[in-house]
Amino acid sequence: MFKGFRSFLLRGNVVDLAVGIVIGAAFTAVVTGFVTAFLTPLIGVATGAVGDFTQKTFDVAGTRFPYGVFVNALISFILVAAVIYFAVVVPVGKLQTRFESAKPAPAPKVDCPECLSSIPAAATRCSFCTSEVGVRPGLPAQTQALQSH
């Protein structure tokens, strides 16, 4: 059950993307609520404000600039980004690293003596110019390939 759920989360297609967007919207509401209810008031306590900066303004030549709205939005953005990074991005990255299979080492390559193309070291014939590549001692794959012909 969990194996299927894990493969569902880690594959990438259009349906998964649509589901991710819907879940992301719901998660954004949860994180925004958490930031608004808990983290922003803590910043207000630390700075001596109430935690709501929307009422902060300054006047220039009779024009009122409500800079507090911007400050509130900026604080909310930084806190939401931090919560998402530390609560989602880091754990999912560790989860993906844990479940990724090890990539096989690439086959060793040598240059073809005729056309100088890169071919697998165990090859007996060049895949580019089709010339026969001499048997090199110590390569059991070549020895097996020659014996099967």
Side-chain angles (χ1 to χ4, degrees):
M1 180 170 82
F2 287 111
K3 193 174 195 179
F5 184 68
R6 181 186 75 212
S7 64
F8 165 75
L9 288 178
L10 299 178
R11 71 181 164 168
N13 62 29
V14 176
V15 174
D16 292 340
L17 181 61
V19 170
I21 289 171
V22 171
I23 290 174
F27 185 73
T28 299
V30 170
V31 171
T32 302
F34 175 75
V35 167
T36 304
F38 296 106
L39 299 181
T40 304
L42 286 175
I43 290 179
V45 169
T47 61
V50 179
D52 182 16
F53 297 96
T54 56
Q55 304 304 317
K56 303 289 184 179
T57 62
F58 66 88
D59 294 323
V60 175
T63 304
R64 176 162 284 168
F65 290 89
Y67 74 92
V69 174
F70 174 73
V71 170
N72 225 23
L74 183 64
I75 290 170
S76 181
F77 171 76
I78 291 170
L79 294 176
V80 166
V83 168
I84 288 174
Y85 179 75
F86 291 112
V88 177
V89 173
V90 171
V92 168
K94 288 182 181 179
L95 182 69
Q96 283 179 332
T97 303
R98 176 185 289 176
F99 290 114
E100 282 180 354
S101 59
K103 306 249 188 273
K109 302 270 184 175
V110 295
D111 289 338
C112 170
E114 296 294 323
C115 68
L116 300 177
S117 298
S118 182
I119 59 173
T124 57
R125 190 173 289 274
C126 177
S127 60
F128 296 98
C129 68
T130 68
S131 65
E132 285 192 32
V133 180
V135 176
R136 291 180 294 279
L139 290 176
Q142 269 196 337
T143 307
Q144 280 181 341
L146 288 176
Q147 289 174 355
S148 66
H149 287 297

